[in-house]
Amino acid sequence: MANQEDQFKKLVAHCKEYGFIFQSSEIYDGLAATYDYGPYGVELKNNIKEYWWKSMVYHHENIVGIDAAIFMHPRTWKASGHVDAFNDPMIDNKDSKKRYRADVLVEEYLDKIEQKVNKELAKAAKRFGDSFDAAMYRQTNPRVKGYLEKHATIAKRLATAMTNSDLDDMKALIEELEIACPVSGSRNWTEVRQFNLMFSTQLGAVAGEEGKLYLRPETAQGIFVNFLNVQKSSRQKLPFGIAQIGKAFRNEIVARQFIFRMREFEQMEMQFFVRPGTQKEWYEKWKAARMQWHRAIGTPEDKLRFHDHDNLAHYADAAVDIQFEFPFGFKELEGIHSRTDFDLSSHQELSGRKLQYFDPEINESYVPYVVETSIGCDRMFLAALSQALREEVVPDAEGKDANRMVLKLHPVLAPVKCAVLPLLKNKEALTTKAREIFNRIKFSFNCQYDEKDAIGRRYRRQDAIGTPFCVTVDFETLEDDTVTIRERDSLAQRRIPIEQVEAVVLEGIDMRSLF
Ligand code: ATP
């Protein structure tokens, strides 16, 4: 655990040192749970968005994109249920004065039980060697069985309390499990209260409730209210989808863990409209497609898992999370929800406008059902970085062992694709040649010219930001127009003619390899 915490601290420090992420308004000591993306951060984030957008919009004839406003008519949020039900249960510790999400306190307790189970399994695996059957052991070992039963009972009770908004039982559960405040160590808790997560602001000069506006807590509603506009203008037939990338805002009760939980963040959402009755089939299809999207960029299978929702949101008839193993454990990275016709029907009712689709195949009008995929861009960023950042020992220029920090991002996601490096800074013939190469290839992808410091240090700098290719211009280049191209992960270097550089890099970063 300490090791994981250390790793996480290193990652946060790396993000700052190399210009990926800064705390917002840092010179004023920062603003809680708000972050700014630096020069490499914005590139990585844009690449994540591009990968998502292309895989959704460009690769599906029946998915189109939109970019809706952050502000929406206040009745939108009444219809969606957010005014009445977008709450989290909060609880305060009277001694430390720290505030927590009551459900998260219980979930952390459940995580600890899970860790105990994993420990038992690891011990047994060591003892039994190759013949070990983990599934069987879970069913038969009395201690593991006990843990699992306890886990299931608590998870069920929490889910029921959440579904019924039973705040008293949530408090009772925290007391029965003897959960203590991690800061004060005491069990001196307040009652559990509901807290609405929407930020509000005022419209123009209109005072009071009349002019109350909300900052959207999800991008989905901009898609629902535009459903017919988009369907008609793009001449789509069901099933079809609408995709959107944009900011969302939530007044999170506790926002820790860096960019995992922010108050201003970005979502990549796709709402897929289907004929009622076919939602289950589409839900399964999107589950598989989204998992494949994560695996395609090299995320190891054991770092991803499906996690069915224990308590379904008011709008859903099925819901699953894709969880990723962050440095602080398996947590939600993406949600896939079968939202029924809840949203469109509510908007239809509250606006008085028909939001129905005439299905020519069955000669019937109906309110479509919706299957959505919803992923946080910032969480995806954190997932990509946390699996890519490695500390390695590699041979240096003299063949001695040297440490390097390397970001083994998939080349498609890497912020800089190629660095062009003259061997020496003060040899004009080398720098001129290197700049010529840079000026030639800069139109095809993001590249960087760097002449400062010894070549080894420049390689390290590129490794630390995840640049997959480094091109070095040396004296041989001046004679035969060849350069060395160094590959980030294997460290292999080979000589190629200058005119091949662009093609070699383009091949290495080609998104087609992912599909
Ligand atoms: P959580 O349970 O972690 O609060 P959620 O279930 O409320 O998340 P959804 O409403 O399903 O999240 O939102 C879809 C996606 O948006 C999430 O899978 C996550 O990647 C992202 N997301 C949600 N809240 C935040 C946040 N505060 N900061 C960053 N990303 C977020």
Side-chain angles (χ1 to χ4, degrees):
M1 199 63 190
N3 188 24
Q4 280 187 333
E5 265 168 40
D6 267 7
Q7 261 182 323
F8 191 39
K9 275 189 193 147
K10 268 190 193 152
L11 184 130
V12 176
H14 192 89
C15 281
K16 180 173 177 190
E17 185 180 349
Y18 288 97
F20 282 87
I21 298 171
F22 308 122
Q23 200 178 13
S24 157
S25 346
E26 196 192 65
I27 59 166
Y28 293 102
D29 294 332
L31 180 68
T34 325
Y35 292 90
D36 299 335
Y37 286 86
Y40 298 120
V42 65
E43 296 296 339
L44 172 54
K45 203 171 173 211
N46 283 341
N47 293 341
I48 290 172
K49 289 193 238 180
E50 190 188 348
Y51 173 40
W52 185 86
W53 190 264
K54 285 193 169 158
S55 71
M56 284 293 178
V57 181
Y58 292 10
H59 298 175
H60 291 95
E61 278 177 53
N62 61 347
I63 299 183
V64 291
I66 65 161
D67 181 20
I70 286 171
F71 288 136
M72 298 184 71
H73 193 287
R75 273 197 287 174
T76 309
W77 305 110
K78 188 75 190 157
S80 68
H82 283 82
V83 172
D84 299 314
F86 195 51
N87 301 317
D88 274 344
M90 66 174 178
I91 189 166
D92 294 295
N93 183 269
K94 290 184 196 159
D95 298 317
S96 67
K97 310 272 183 261
K98 289 274 174 203
R99 178 159 287 176
Y100 298 91
R101 249 172 75 177
D103 56 327
V104 171
L105 284 179
V106 179
E107 276 167 10
E108 283 170 357
Y109 186 93
L110 290 171
D111 285 348
K112 281 187 196 142
I113 302 182
E114 213 175 303
Q115 281 162 20
K116 283 184 191 163
V117 170
N118 290 339
K119 232 179 180 169
E120 292 290 332
L121 289 177
K123 263 198 318 205
K126 227 177 180 176
R127 199 153 17 106
F128 294 111
D130 286 346
S131 64
F132 181 60
D133 179 345
M136 179 67 93
Y137 199 75
R138 288 167 84 93
Q139 282 170 18
T140 50
N141 179 271
R143 188 175 302 168
V144 170
K145 251 174 70 184
Y147 285 142
L148 290 172
E149 275 160 21
K150 187 172 177 191
H151 190 284
T153 312
I154 299 171
K156 187 153 182 250
R157 186 152 154 211
L158 174 66
T160 311
M162 289 291 283
T163 309
N164 302 337
S165 296
D166 187 345
L167 304 183
D168 291 339
D169 197 49
M170 225 172 285
K171 169 82 187 282
L173 189 56
I174 288 172
E175 280 176 343
E176 281 167 37
L177 298 175
E178 301 187 339
I179 295 175
C181 166
V183 176
S184 67
S186 92
R187 300 190 195 116
N188 193 8
W189 297 108
T190 62
E191 294 309 303
V192 179
R193 282 163 296 159
Q194 290 287 29
F195 180 78
N196 192 288
L197 298 184
M198 279 200 294
F199 280 105
S200 65
T201 184
Q202 289 299 125
L203 172 70
V206 188
E209 278 300 308
E210 284 287 283
K212 193 169 180 181
L213 282 189
Y214 294 103
L215 271 70
R216 65 179 178 198
E218 63 176 23
T219 56
Q221 299 304 324
I223 289 179
F224 291 128
V225 299
N226 276 302
F227 160 66
L228 274 188
N229 281 338
V230 176
Q231 187 261 322
K232 287 189 172 145
S233 58
S234 59
R235 295 163 41 246
Q236 287 287 346
K237 283 202 178 86
L238 251 62
F240 85 99
I242 306 179
Q244 177 170 219
I245 299 178
K247 288 265 173 145
F249 304 82
R250 294 183 188 180
N251 199 0
E252 299 281 359
I253 295 172
V254 215
R256 293 197 204 100
Q257 295 162 327
F258 199 35
I259 57 169
F260 179 80
R261 192 176 297 287
M262 304 201 285
R263 298 209 165 94
E264 172 182 341
F265 58 100
E266 217 161 347
Q267 287 186 315
M268 307 191 283
E269 294 198 298
M270 193 279 299
Q271 270 69 35
F272 201 70
F273 300 88
V274 304
R275 190 186 288 169
T278 64
Q279 71 270 23
K280 188 79 192 138
E281 175 194 330
W282 285 108
Y283 174 73
E284 294 302 333
K285 276 192 183 153
W286 281 112
K287 257 178 82 171
R290 294 305 303 150
M291 190 55 109
Q292 177 52 30
W293 185 88
H294 288 283
R295 288 187 183 151
I297 48 159
T299 311
E301 266 181 49
D302 61 353
K303 287 233 160 223
L304 292 163
R305 70 180 187 193
F306 285 119
H307 177 79
D308 283 315
H309 281 210
D310 293 321
N311 58 316
L312 289 179
H314 56 279
Y315 51 74
D317 71 358
V320 69
D321 291 337
I322 293 180
Q323 293 188 331
F324 173 79
E325 191 176 18
F326 288 97
F328 36 83
F330 271 102
K331 299 275 174 229
E332 172 177 348
L333 168 60
E334 167 157 11
I336 296 142
H337 311 127
S338 174
R339 288 180 83 126
T340 67
D341 60 351
F342 173 84
D343 303 86
L344 289 180
S345 293
S346 305
H347 286 304
Q348 181 169 268
E349 200 179 313
L350 211 67
S351 67
R353 301 277 185 89
K354 271 215 155 94
L355 288 175
Q356 296 194 347
Y357 169 77
F358 176 74
D359 190 331
E361 278 176 32
I362 53 171
N363 244 343
E364 236 180 72
S365 288
Y366 52 78
V367 177
Y369 268 44
V370 173
V371 173
E372 80 170 356
T373 72
S374 173
I375 173 168
C377 185
D378 314 86
R379 276 192 199 175
M380 185 57 208
F381 188 110
L382 185 58
L385 269 195
S386 58
Q387 65 168 312
L389 187 62
R390 318 267 170 87
E391 216 169 343
E392 285 182 348
V393 179
V394 292
D396 66 8
E398 283 98 48
K400 289 198 213 113
D401 281 354
N403 286 331
R404 74 159 179 171
M405 288 297 272
V406 56
L407 261 187
K408 290 193 166 173
L409 288 167
H410 194 288
V412 162
L413 299 185
V416 176
K417 308 299 187 192
C418 177
V420 185
L421 316 169
L423 188 63
L424 299 169
K425 178 183 169 183
N426 45 14
K427 283 276 178 283
E428 209 187 321
L430 295 180
T431 55
T432 306
K433 195 80 184 169
R435 279 202 187 280
E436 258 174 45
I437 299 173
F438 172 78
N439 284 325
R440 189 192 299 184
I441 61 177
K442 70 181 179 190
F443 296 101
S444 298
F445 38 77
N446 190 23
C447 46
Q448 207 172 60
Y449 172 85
D450 188 9
E451 59 178 30
K452 233 168 47 209
D453 297 325
I455 193 76
R457 287 187 67 173
R458 278 180 276 164
Y459 283 153
R460 295 287 168 272
R461 218 156 39 218
Q462 296 301 331
D463 287 344
I465 61 167
T467 308
F469 298 103
C470 284
V471 163
T472 306
V473 174
D474 55 20
F475 293 103
E476 217 178 309
T477 313
L478 303 179
E479 284 165 22
D480 62 6
D481 269 344
T482 63
V483 288
T484 58
I485 188 156
R486 171 188 181 268
E487 210 257 322
R488 177 195 68 198
D489 297 349
S490 65
L491 295 165
Q493 299 201 20
R494 60 198 166 106
R495 269 207 106 78
I496 57 168
I498 287 174
E499 65 261 28
Q500 283 179 17
V501 169
E502 190 172 347
V504 169
V505 178
L506 278 175
E507 197 195 332
I509 62 169
D510 191 349
M511 209 180 274
R512 267 178 292 199
S513 66
L514 301 180
F515 301 109

